[in-house]
Amino acid sequence: MSVTSTAVPLDTLKWTLEPSGATEGQTFYVTTQSGIYVLLQMVYSSINSWSPSVQITARVYFPDGTKKVKNVSVGGSSLKLSADKLSSTCSPMAVTFKTATPGPSYKVSFQAGTEVQAELDFDALVEAYQVNDGKTLYTPGNPANGYIAARFVPKSKVTGTLIIDGKSHEAAGHGVFSHVIQSPPQNVARWNYANLQNEKDALILYQYHLPKGKYPQDVVSQGVLVLDNKIIAVTVANHTVFNGTAVDSFSGYHVPKAVTHVWEGTTRAGEPVRVELALKLDRMLDKIDVLAELPFLVRKFIQTFITAPFVYQWLENAEAKITIGGKESTIKGLAFHENTFMSELEQTA
């Protein structure tokens, strides 16, 4: 798959709200300077088309290993959009679009009593990116089999405050914003997501595996390299290797002990680029039984059509090796690695 465009028209960041068989989500990831990691997410689901729902989630992970998780499930009619469909409100979360330059910027509010309060500004440092038109068909040339659409802002300056169980924490740091539509989501077997951040650099991998032999492609991948607050490359010839796995009794899946992510492609200046990020997965943030957090009707649908989905998350100190046009360098930072298992695959990639 070639990369023919990375520009993101503002219209494509509007909420779509597919009428049936889809999920659409906006997710905000924050790597704070204090070591707190934050995930705020709003997902509209029409998988159960006669009763759409919205899942609102806040996950806050502290350097000492403690965490705070707040989930709220409400009916789809609770999601209110602005006239331009770029801002959204669904209690306890509100996302307000601020500006499109240099990239989409947002104000994010999460107000769940004294348990979780967040008032954060995501001010983009780079533009949003996408691969081609941002949409990948499960079966090229056949839209009826569904698609995934993904757009990212890979680096934003984050400012604001978190209040967790009544205690205030400064949330200054670096953020990633994603807007993703999966229609339908049950076609995917596994997701790999990686997000490395430091003061001026970022490295993102967004990759999903389809059941082998069911579709023309087994793996669809996209990644981005940001150096000195500038997008250097968007790549699609990427891969991930699990370096040893163990069956986790929590889920029954083969969970990696270590991973190696590789990005390959061409920079925007036309030079070959290769990035390698090897992670020994020692600091697990969370493992999540997704069904336990979903509304009843959505849960029953997934139980019928998908094996139980589980999410594993880690946060590791990391160093990525970068080769551009034969010149080697490294970047260091905190790397968030996430695997979502929908069904079992061979454990070689």
Side-chain angles (χ1 to χ4, degrees), residues 59 119 123 138 149 168 184 186 207 215 245 280 283 326 344:
R59 297 185 180 276
E119 292 290 342
D123 294 313
Y138 290 123
S168 181
Q186 63 265 26
Q207 179 172 282
Y215 300 100
T245 63
K280 186 178 180 183
R283 183 190 169 196
E344 193 64 89

Side-chain angles (χ1 to χ4, degrees), residues 59-221:
R59 297 185 180 276
V60 182
Y61 302 103
F62 293 93
D64 64 2
T66 61
K67 66 180 180 181
K68 187 69 179 184
V69 178
K70 183 68 176 179
N71 290 297
V72 177
S73 297
V74 296
S77 61
S78 298
L79 176 62
K80 306 300 182 184
L81 303 181
S82 60
D84 61 10
K85 297 184 180 180
L86 291 170
S87 301
S88 56
T89 302
C90 190
S91 182
M93 187 171 173
V95 178
T96 304
F97 176 78
K98 294 170 60 177
T99 180
T101 305
S105 298
Y106 296 87
K107 180 178 285 292
V108 184
S109 175
F110 196 105
Q111 297 293 329
T114 58
E115 283 188 87
V116 180
Q117 298 179 39
E119 292 290 342
L120 305 178
D121 283 284
F122 274 69
D123 294 313
L125 295 170
V126 299
E127 66 273 27
Y129 77 90
Q130 64 185 13
V131 173
N132 298 325
D133 65 354
K135 181 182 289 189
T136 301
L137 300 178
Y138 290 123
T139 303
N142 186 0
N145 282 349
Y147 70 92
I148 289 178
R151 284 99 185 179
F152 287 83
V153 179
K155 195 160 192 65
S156 299
K157 178 183 178 181
V158 179
T159 54
T161 304
L162 294 168
I163 300 177
I164 307 299
D165 292 329
K167 184 177 180 180
S168 181
H169 306 268
E170 189 174 353
H174 308 281
V176 175
F177 163 73
S178 71
H179 187 144
V180 176
I181 303 171
Q182 305 172 46
S183 177
Q186 63 265 26
N187 285 11
V188 176
R190 188 175 75 221
W191 299 85
N192 301 321
Y193 173 70
N195 166 26
L196 184 151
Q197 297 283 330
N198 64 28
E199 287 297 316
K200 294 184 177 182
D201 311 314
L203 187 58
I204 310 292
L205 178 74
Y206 179 76
Q207 179 172 282
Y208 55 92
H209 297 241
L210 300 166
K212 290 188 180 297
K214 187 174 181 180
Y215 300 100
Q217 58 218 0
D218 291 334
V219 181
V220 177
S221 181

Side-chain angles (χ1 to χ4, degrees), residues 30-79:
V30 187
T31 305
T32 70
Q33 294 170 355
S34 65
I36 300 172
Y37 197 84
V38 182
L39 185 154
L40 300 173
Q41 185 177 66
M42 182 186 294
V43 177
Y44 178 87
S45 174
S46 61
I47 293 178
N48 178 16
S49 59
W50 64 89
S51 182
S53 63
V54 183
Q55 184 80 3
I56 310 294
T57 302
R59 297 185 180 276
V60 182
Y61 302 103
F62 293 93
D64 64 2
T66 61
K67 66 180 180 181
K68 187 69 179 184
V69 178
K70 183 68 176 179
N71 290 297
V72 177
S73 297
V74 296
S77 61
S78 298
L79 176 62

